[in-house]
Every structure is written in C-alpha cells, then in structure tokens.
Coordinates of all heavy atoms in Angstrom, one line a residue:
Y1 N 91.0 98.3 121.9 CA 91.7 99.3 121.4 C 92.3 99.1 120.0 O 92.2 99.9 118.9 CB 92.9 100.0 122.1 CG 92.5 100.7 123.3 CD1 92.6 100.3 124.6 CD2 91.9 102.1 123.1 CE1 92.2 101.2 125.7 CE2 91.7 103.0 124.2 CZ 91.6 102.5 125.4 OH 91.3 103.2 126.4
Q2 N 92.6 97.8 119.7 CA 93.1 97.3 118.4 C 92.1 97.3 117.5 O 92.4 97.9 116.3 CB 93.7 95.9 118.6 CG 94.6 95.4 117.4 CD 95.7 96.3 117.2 OE1 96.5 96.4 118.0 NE2 95.7 96.9 116.0
E3 N 90.8 97.0 117.8 CA 89.8 97.1 116.9 C 89.5 98.6 116.5 O 89.1 98.8 115.3 CB 88.4 96.5 117.4 CG 88.4 95.0 117.6 CD 87.2 94.4 118.4 OE1 86.9 95.0 119.4 OE2 86.6 93.5 117.9
Y4 N 89.5 99.4 117.6 CA 89.2 100.8 117.3 C 90.3 101.3 116.3 O 89.9 102.1 115.4 CB 89.4 101.4 118.7 CG 89.0 103.0 118.4 CD1 87.8 103.6 118.7 CD2 90.1 104.0 118.1 CE1 87.6 104.9 118.5 CE2 89.8 105.4 118.1 CZ 88.5 105.8 118.2 OH 88.3 107.2 118.1
L5 N 91.6 101.1 116.4 CA 92.5 101.5 115.6 C 92.4 101.0 114.1 O 92.6 101.6 113.2 CB 94.0 101.2 116.1 CG 94.3 101.9 117.6 CD1 95.6 101.4 118.2 CD2 94.5 103.3 117.2
N6 N 92.1 99.6 114.1 CA 92.0 99.0 112.9 C 90.8 99.5 112.0 O 91.0 99.7 110.8 CB 91.8 97.5 113.0 CG 93.0 96.8 113.4 OD1 94.1 97.3 113.5 ND2 92.8 95.5 113.9
K7 N 89.7 100.0 112.6 CA 88.6 100.5 112.0 C 88.8 102.0 111.8 O 87.9 102.6 111.0 CB 87.4 100.3 112.9 CG 86.9 99.0 113.0 CD 85.7 98.7 113.9 CE 85.4 97.3 114.3 NZ 84.9 96.6 113.1
N8 N 89.9 102.5 112.2 CA 90.2 103.9 112.0 C 88.9 104.9 112.4 O 88.7 105.8 111.6 CB 90.6 104.2 110.4 CG 91.3 105.6 110.3 OD1 92.1 106.1 111.2 ND2 91.1 106.2 109.1
L9 N 88.5 104.6 113.6 CA 87.3 105.4 114.0 C 87.9 106.8 114.6 O 89.0 106.9 114.8 CB 86.6 104.7 115.1 CG 86.0 103.3 114.7 CD1 85.4 102.6 115.9 CD2 85.0 103.5 113.6
C10 N 86.9 107.7 114.7 CA 87.5 109.1 115.0 C 86.7 109.7 116.2 O 86.8 111.0 116.4 CB 87.3 110.0 113.8 SG 85.6 110.1 113.2
A11 N 86.1 108.8 117.0 CA 85.5 109.5 118.3 C 86.5 110.0 119.2 O 86.3 111.0 120.0 CB 84.7 108.3 119.0
I12 N 87.7 109.4 119.4 CA 88.7 110.1 120.1 C 90.0 109.9 119.3 O 90.1 109.2 118.3 CB 88.9 109.1 121.3 CG1 89.3 107.7 121.3 CG2 87.8 109.3 122.3 CD1 89.9 107.0 122.5
D13 N 91.0 110.8 119.7 CA 92.2 110.8 118.9 C 92.9 109.5 118.8 O 93.0 108.8 119.8 CB 93.1 111.9 119.5 CG 94.3 112.1 118.8 OD1 94.2 113.0 117.7 OD2 95.3 111.6 119.1
L14 N 93.4 109.1 117.6 CA 94.0 107.8 117.4 C 95.4 107.8 118.3 O 95.7 106.7 118.8 CB 94.4 107.7 116.0 CG 93.2 107.3 115.0 CD1 93.6 107.2 113.6 CD2 92.4 106.2 115.4
T15 N 96.0 108.9 118.4 CA 97.3 108.9 119.3 C 96.8 108.6 120.7 O 97.6 107.9 121.4 CB 97.9 110.3 119.2 OG1 98.2 110.6 118.0 CG2 99.2 110.2 120.0
A16 N 95.6 109.2 121.2 CA 95.3 108.9 122.6 C 95.0 107.4 122.7 O 95.2 106.8 123.7 CB 94.1 109.7 123.0
A17 N 94.2 106.8 121.7 CA 93.8 105.5 121.6 C 94.9 104.5 121.8 O 95.1 103.6 122.5 CB 92.8 105.1 120.5
S18 N 96.0 104.8 121.0 CA 97.2 104.0 121.0 C 98.0 104.1 122.3 O 98.4 103.1 122.8 CB 98.2 104.5 119.9 OG 99.3 103.7 119.8
F19 N 97.9 105.3 122.9 CA 98.6 105.4 124.1 C 97.9 104.7 125.3 O 98.6 103.9 126.2 CB 98.7 106.9 124.6 CG 99.4 107.2 125.9 CD1 100.7 107.4 125.9 CD2 98.8 107.3 127.1 CE1 101.4 107.8 127.1 CE2 99.4 107.6 128.2 CZ 100.6 107.7 128.2
C20 N 96.5 104.7 125.2 CA 95.8 104.0 126.3 C 95.9 102.5 126.1 O 95.9 101.7 127.1 CB 94.4 104.4 126.2 SG 94.0 106.1 126.8
K21 N 96.0 102.1 124.9 CA 96.2 100.6 124.6 C 97.5 100.2 125.2 O 97.6 99.1 125.9 CB 96.2 100.4 123.1 CG 96.6 99.0 122.5 CD 96.6 98.9 121.1 CE 97.0 97.4 120.7 NZ 98.5 97.4 120.9
D22 N 98.5 100.9 124.9 CA 99.9 100.6 125.5 C 100.0 100.6 126.9 O 100.8 99.9 127.6 CB 101.0 101.4 124.9 CG 101.1 101.3 123.4 OD1 100.7 100.3 122.8 OD2 101.7 102.2 122.7
N23 N 99.1 101.3 127.6 CA 99.3 101.6 129.1 C 98.1 101.0 129.9 O 97.9 101.1 131.1 CB 99.4 103.1 129.5 CG 100.7 103.6 129.1 OD1 101.7 103.5 129.7 ND2 100.6 104.2 127.8
G24 N 97.3 100.3 129.1 CA 96.1 99.5 129.7 C 95.1 100.3 130.5 O 94.5 100.0 131.5

C-alpha cells in the first residue's frame, strides 16, 4: 500500500488504499 500511495496510482481511491493499509 505504501508503494501504491507513493506512486500516486489511481486504480482504487487513495483514501480507500490508505484505510486498508492502516487496517491490514
């Protein structure tokens, strides 16, 4: 998820990606 957020990819919402990262 960190790589996904760092690359600013847009396949899924960044808010969703950050939430999933925090909750495993």
Side-chain angles (χ1 to χ4, degrees):
Y1 281 112
Q2 193 61 58
E3 289 174 317
Y4 183 90
L5 294 167
N6 289 344
K7 294 176 185 295
N8 199 34
L9 300 172
C10 59
I12 64 173
D13 184 86
L14 294 179
T15 303
S18 180
F19 182 90
C20 288
K21 172 181 176 290
D22 291 343
N23 290 277

